[in-house]
Amino acid sequence: MTAARAYLDHNAASPLRPEAREAMIAALEHEGNASSIHAEGRAARHVVEDTREKLAALIGALPQSIIFTSGGTEANAMALSPSWLRGNGAARLFVSSVEHASVLRGGRFATSDVELLPVHSNGIVSLEAARDAFAAWHATGLPFLVSLMLANNETGVVQPVAALAELAHEFGGLVHCDAVQAIGKIVVDASALGADLLTVSAHKFGGPKGVGALAVLREGLPIATLVKGGGQERGYRAGTENVAAIAGLGAAVGALTGNDREPREIAILRDELEAQIAVIAPEAMFFSRRAERLPNTSCFAIEGMSAETLVIAMDMHGIAVSAGSACSSGKVERSHVLDAMGVAPGLGAAAIRVSLGWNTMTADIERFAAAWSAIYRTFAARRHAA
Ligand code: PLP
């Protein structure tokens, strides 16, 4: 990326932090396998265990709770595949209707055993509906698992995970929290959240893509092994560890630790960006703006302005943003998050997500505002002429 571009899509992937790049390059020099007992193996093992300790400390967990995975998707799949799963309606998975696709797919739960919990119009899960749903299932005497994300990737809304976990535990359920979008943006304290399982992904906070972790926060949880083979990761996840990626994860965690300045500065830039959007287009609709949100995320729409067209126009002005959700297939699809919030389809189809991060500067916001002004003027002129 040239400096002439403004990258404002950190919720899709945050650029690699320099510390992470350096740590990865250094780790690539380790020729040993982290499972070998010779000096080369021990050096690689040291990198893996150092990251485990750093990550555990960041989220307030024990090092032995961390299982490294290939990212958030795999950690979510593991969390949603408890070993007691029998299928045929013998267990239930409750997920909020605004979860990431990797949770909505339900891991090993049959589609018919996955129940969606509704959200309010601000995107926050309904605790009342959750209580009713848990109570009804509890009456069957069968086990259940709940999965609620800490922060939403599209709107940035922060969910009441601690309250939901308390509720689920009251009825005997297990709780998983997808904290992928929250780490590095807000404080994530596993014990305060009260979840039993928690998902981490490095590339959302300046680590490399393709590495993450599942934190197993309670002893004796029934975790299924999805990738079977050697005894790595205490037998929970076989395969030779990706030492360089784990080193990058550790260095990115190191950059976050004790760094509460970064989220505060990012929030100021995000608020400035929203002010600029609204000055130019007073009718702009900001989603979940009055709810507790991540400091880096803004999701907004202008009725009649196609998100796809806007993303392309922004790209031509040197600005990277996303349309609604992450468009993993490369094409823009309707946002299930905005649908679940009851946003009218026309407005939802216009939703744009701008997400800031560790390397965002005032110049990026200025660049965005200049492009937004030019694009909006063209749109408004066409609207007027129509
Ligand atoms: N969960 C959330 C909330 C996400 O935003 C993402 C990625 O967009 C994932 C899970 C998947 O993580 P990964 O890309 O590491 O597989």
Side-chain angles (χ1 to χ4, degrees):
M1 192 180 81
T2 66
R5 284 184 65 86
Y7 182 82
L8 298 174
D9 203 12
H10 284 251
N11 286 10
S14 194
L16 195 64
R17 292 178 189 259
E19 302 91 321
R21 178 176 286 107
E22 265 173 44
M24 291 177 77
I25 291 168
L28 286 170
E29 296 303 323
H30 292 302
E31 54 257 296
N33 182 316
S35 297
S36 301
I37 56 170
H38 45 60
E40 290 82 353
R42 290 198 311 276
R45 169 61 49 199
H46 175 74
V47 172
V48 173
E49 298 313 318
D50 183 55
T51 294
R52 201 185 306 278
E53 278 173 25
K54 284 190 181 129
L55 178 58
L58 181 79
I59 62 171
L62 293 171
Q64 60 268 32
S65 72
I66 305 290
I67 302 170
F68 290 118
T69 65
S70 65
T73 298
E74 187 192 334
N76 283 344
M78 259 181 106
L80 305 186
S81 304
S83 53
W84 41 254
L85 206 55
R86 302 270 179 278
N88 303 324
R92 181 139 295 198
L93 171 65
F94 295 97
V95 301
S96 90
S97 46
V98 296
E99 296 298 313
H100 185 262
S102 55
V103 166
L104 287 173
R105 299 270 192 272
R108 292 242 170 119
F109 281 83
T111 313
S112 54
D113 293 336
V114 180
E115 187 171 329
L116 295 182
L117 299 173
V119 296
H120 299 291
S121 59
N122 61 4
I124 305 268
V125 71
S126 164
L127 291 173
E128 302 72 32
R131 172 179 278 282
D132 292 348
F134 300 163
W137 184 257
H138 182 64
T140 67
L142 295 166
F144 75 96
L145 174 64
V146 187
S147 184
L148 180 64
M149 66 202 332
L150 185 48
N152 186 267
N153 42 307
E154 296 186 36
T155 60
V157 150
V158 176
Q159 297 288 355
V161 172
L164 194 90
E166 203 180 320
L167 210 51
H169 288 151
E170 211 179 286
F171 289 103
L174 279 179
V175 180
H176 166 248
C177 174
D178 175 350
V180 162
Q181 290 291 346
I183 291 177
K185 299 167 188 160
I186 55 174
V187 173
V188 176
D189 176 352
S191 51
L193 289 174
D196 303 300
L197 299 151
L198 186 133
T199 292
V200 177
S201 173
H203 73 102
K204 306 294 185 182
F205 56 88
K209 300 169 185 79
V211 63
L214 180 68
V216 182
L217 300 161
R218 224 165 7 115
E219 286 266 326
L221 286 182
I223 302 301
T225 300
L226 298 186
V227 183
K228 295 179 185 160
Q232 291 92 349
E233 297 303 284
R234 294 189 291 131
Y236 285 121
R237 206 273 186 176
T240 301
E241 295 88 346
N242 184 344
V243 178
I246 292 172
L249 166 57
V253 166
L256 297 178
T257 305
N259 181 359
D260 54 358
R261 185 183 47 80
E262 197 173 280
R264 272 190 279 120
E265 289 177 359
I266 291 171
I268 293 169
L269 292 173
R270 190 275 312 271
D271 293 349
E272 175 58 23
L273 175 116
E274 291 194 337
Q276 296 276 355
I277 293 167
V279 160
I280 295 161
E283 79 273 35
M285 167 81 192
F286 295 93
F287 300 107
S288 304
R289 201 182 195 179
R290 291 207 191 88
E292 188 184 343
R293 277 187 305 169
L294 293 176
N296 78 316
T297 306
S298 180
C299 183
F300 73 98
I302 307 267
E303 183 88 55
M305 196 179 215
S306 139
E308 199 164 2
T309 310
L310 179 53
V311 169
I312 294 166
M314 278 284 175
D315 192 38
M316 285 162 67
H317 279 81
I319 291 151
V321 295
S322 265
S325 72
C327 1
S328 53
S329 58
K331 59 182 190 314
V332 179
E333 282 165 10
R334 249 173 79 158
S335 156
H336 70 281
V337 174
L338 299 179
D339 278 352
M341 288 162 59
V343 173
L347 196 59
I352 290 291
R353 178 187 70 188
V354 187
S355 50
L356 288 55
W358 65 269
N359 65 353
T360 308
M361 292 182 300
T362 306
D364 298 315
I365 306 306
E366 287 165 357
R367 190 177 178 115
F368 176 92
W372 172 241
S373 172
I375 295 165
Y376 181 78
R377 264 190 278 114
T378 311
F379 164 75
R382 283 214 192 106
R383 185 170 58 182
H384 186 69

